[in-house]
Amino acid sequence: MSEVIKSTVAEFNITYTQFLDESGKPSQDLPSIAKDFDKLIKLYRFMVFLRAFDTKAINLQRTGKLGTYAAILGQEAVGTVIGELMQKEDILAPAYREYGIQLQRGMKIQDILNFWGGDERGNNFANPHDFSMCVPIASQCLHAAGAAKAVQIRKEKRVVVAVCGDGATSEGDFYEAMNVAGTWKLPLVFIVCNNQWAISVPRHVQSAAGTLAQKAIAAGIPSEQVDGNDVIAMHEVVEQALDRARNGDGPYVIEAITYRLHDHTTADDATRYRSQEEVDQAWQREPIKRIHNYLVANNKWNDDLETKLQEEMKAHVAEELEGYFNMPKPKATDMFEHMYETLPDALLEQYEIVSQG
């Protein structure tokens, strides 16, 4: 039997970008953003603000003043950079941990807490180009594809950004959205925030793929990995992807490698499924300390500035919380709003019952 000759018809590779190592030292030649210290300090300040807010939100839940809450501890760099680079007219399709992007695009802390506090009307977005706040797993990716198609039809120079977690990449919605985005060359950037855990399911159990970024290959979409705890690397990769999509070169997939340092939500106990040793190791890679060390090493930050910043951000969060505590409690009838232009008869009957009492 003769030997079968097979030829290679396609080859692919997935790149990984990191500029600052775990200690904040350069791991390769740095891009221009690394010398824009005004920008880096702005990003750092916002990340510190996010952590102060996150800490306070957890404390509110623990004392019965807030419903179940999903912390962003350890993932601050991903959202901060995306929010900084998106233009006002761009469209955001978020998952449920994108507080940083949402706050940068016009939401207030009280809006986010209002959602987790039980008022899930989802009509609090200040930016009219963003989707209402919801708790999606991957469905927002399909919504983003639809919005991107509308942008394309109108020939608008805008980008749609869909953010999802590593667990969402196992959902059919994610694959379907990528397939249509690749086929139609939509102005859509998918950013997978790979925090290593889909609730209690670790990354290596979720998928046999070597990377989550390579899932884009079958859809004909270029993709790459980036260190999601490295602000400089995130800025470089996300900026290029957004520029690419905005200029008509089609979709892109970014897998941002980070880690969920807190429980999945405040209703979860992560000690039941992951070791403290793993979490301790992840703390060594966290993003705020990394950029802090880089700024200090370049004489752009010091202990006095840090003390002042911590006090400033705690005061800012406290001031925002006053707005949340002073918000009127939602009415029971609010659950019927923003679902139908005209309520169907079955819901109309329920609405009348609830409104009477």
Side-chain angles (χ1 to χ4, degrees), residues 38-216:
D38 289 340
K39 171 69 73 65
L40 292 180
I41 289 172
K42 177 184 177 182
L43 295 172
Y44 175 67
R45 286 175 56 86
F46 189 75
M47 290 165 63
V48 171
F49 163 67
L50 281 181
R51 187 160 293 185
F53 156 64
D54 201 52
T55 300
K56 188 62 177 180
I58 294 169
N59 291 338
L60 287 175
Q61 191 281 330
R62 300 306 192 205
T63 56
K65 298 178 181 178
L66 184 67
T68 299
Y69 171 79
I72 55 171
L73 185 64
Q75 303 177 207
E76 295 89 351
V78 176
T80 295
V81 171
I82 297 170
E84 172 68 21
L85 289 172
M86 287 183 70
Q87 296 180 6
K88 182 178 180 179
E89 65 273 13
D90 291 338
I91 300 171
L92 172 67
Y96 48 85
R97 295 186 204 270
E98 275 58 71
Y99 313 138
I101 314 174
Q102 293 162 348
L103 290 169
Q104 287 165 294
R105 292 179 63 76
M107 284 187 72
K108 296 182 179 298
I109 282 180
Q110 66 189 55
D111 297 324
I112 293 173
L113 295 180
N114 190 33
F115 169 77
W116 291 110
D119 178 9
E120 301 190 10
R121 289 172 290 180
N123 59 338
N124 297 318
F125 268 56
N127 194 317
H129 306 303
D130 294 342
F131 294 174
S132 293
M133 195 171 187
C134 53
V135 187
I137 301 301
S139 58
Q140 75 273 24
C141 297
L142 285 171
H143 301 158
K149 184 60 180 177
V151 168
Q152 185 183 65
I153 290 172
R154 295 171 179 170
K155 295 181 171 51
E156 297 171 336
K157 203 167 185 179
R158 304 163 69 188
V159 179
V160 181
V161 177
V163 185
C164 68
D166 43 293
T169 67
S170 298
E171 297 286 335
D173 293 351
F174 177 75
Y175 287 96
E176 292 162 11
M178 284 198 302
N179 187 65
V180 72
T183 301
W184 291 342
K185 300 190 182 306
L186 298 179
L188 172 54
V189 176
F190 299 89
I191 300 179
V192 180
C193 185
N194 181 359
N195 67 15
Q196 310 303 318
W197 288 92
I199 307 182
S200 60
V201 182
R203 159 67 181 89
H204 71 274
V205 175
Q206 297 174 46
S207 173
T211 69
L212 299 181
Q214 73 194 58
K215 294 187 175 187

Side-chain angles (χ1 to χ4, degrees), residues 299-310:
N299 298 314
K300 301 299 180 180
W301 202 253
N302 55 47
D303 290 343
D304 289 340
L305 289 172
E306 184 65 24
T307 299
K308 182 179 178 181
L309 175 63
Q310 294 290 342

